[in-house]
Amino acid sequence: MAAAAAWPVWVVVLACGVATQTAKLVIYSATNRGPALSAVGQAHGLPSLPAALLACLVVRTGAATGWNSPASGFVLVFAVIVIHDTVKLRTATTRQREVLHRLVAALPDAGPVHQVVARYLDPRAHHPGHVVIGVVFGALFALAFGFGPG
C-alpha cells in the first residue's frame, strides 16, 4: 500500500481520538435517549479512548515504517503494556470500590459524607469489551483514514 503523500501519524491519531469521542457521544446519547455530553470527557466507556488511540498508532506506525522496523516493535510493545494495564486497572478499582462500599455501609449515620463517598463508588473503569471495541475502532480508523491526500 503505497500512498503518494500520507497524513502524519500524529494527525491520524488525533483524528482517531476525536472520532472515538464522537462515537462515544452518539452511543451514550442514544442509550440515554438524550445528550450525554459527559461521555466526551471520559477515556473509559465504549469505545475505550486509550485502546483506540494505541491501536491507531500501531497500525499507522506499522504502515509507515514497515512491520519489521524498531519503531513498529516499540509501539506494539508499548500498546500491549498500556492496554493490559488498562484492563487490570478495572480489577483494582472494583476491589477498592467494594471495600469503600463496605466501609460506608458500616457507618451508622454518615450524612453528607455518605453522599460524597457514594459518588466515588460509581464504577469508572474500562471493561474488556470496551477495550476490544476500542482496539478494533482504532485499527479500522487507521486503515480507513491513514493515507492522505495523494
Side-chain angles (χ1 to χ4, degrees):
M1 284 181 127
W7 294 104
V9 172
W10 70 269
V11 171
V12 177
V13 173
L14 181 65
C16 180
V18 171
T20 301
Q21 294 306 88
T22 302
K24 191 177 297 182
L25 174 64
V26 169
I27 291 167
Y28 284 92
S29 293
T31 303
N32 294 336
R33 297 179 192 227
L37 296 176
S38 63
V40 175
Q42 300 172 352
H44 63 279
L46 178 69
S48 168
L49 180 63
L53 293 177
L54 288 169
C56 183
L57 181 62
V58 167
V59 171
R60 278 305 301 135
T61 302
T65 65
W67 291 102
N68 291 329
S69 73
S72 294
F74 173 78
V75 171
L76 179 62
V77 169
F78 177 74
V80 168
I81 290 169
V82 172
I83 290 172
H84 175 267
D85 287 350
T86 298
V87 173
K88 287 295 185 181
L89 180 66
R90 176 178 186 245
T91 304
T93 57
T94 300
R95 288 181 187 154
Q96 289 175 357
R97 186 186 53 183
E98 289 171 355
V99 170
L100 275 175
H101 184 65
R102 285 187 210 135
L103 288 172
V104 171
L107 295 174
D109 187 25
V113 173
H114 186 277
Q115 297 291 333
V116 172
V117 173
R119 278 189 231 122
Y120 287 114
L121 298 179
D122 186 29
R124 305 273 182 202
H126 289 79
H127 296 278
H130 296 172
V131 173
V132 169
I133 291 172
V135 167
V136 170
F137 185 91
L140 291 175
F141 187 92
L143 291 172
F145 297 99
F147 302 97

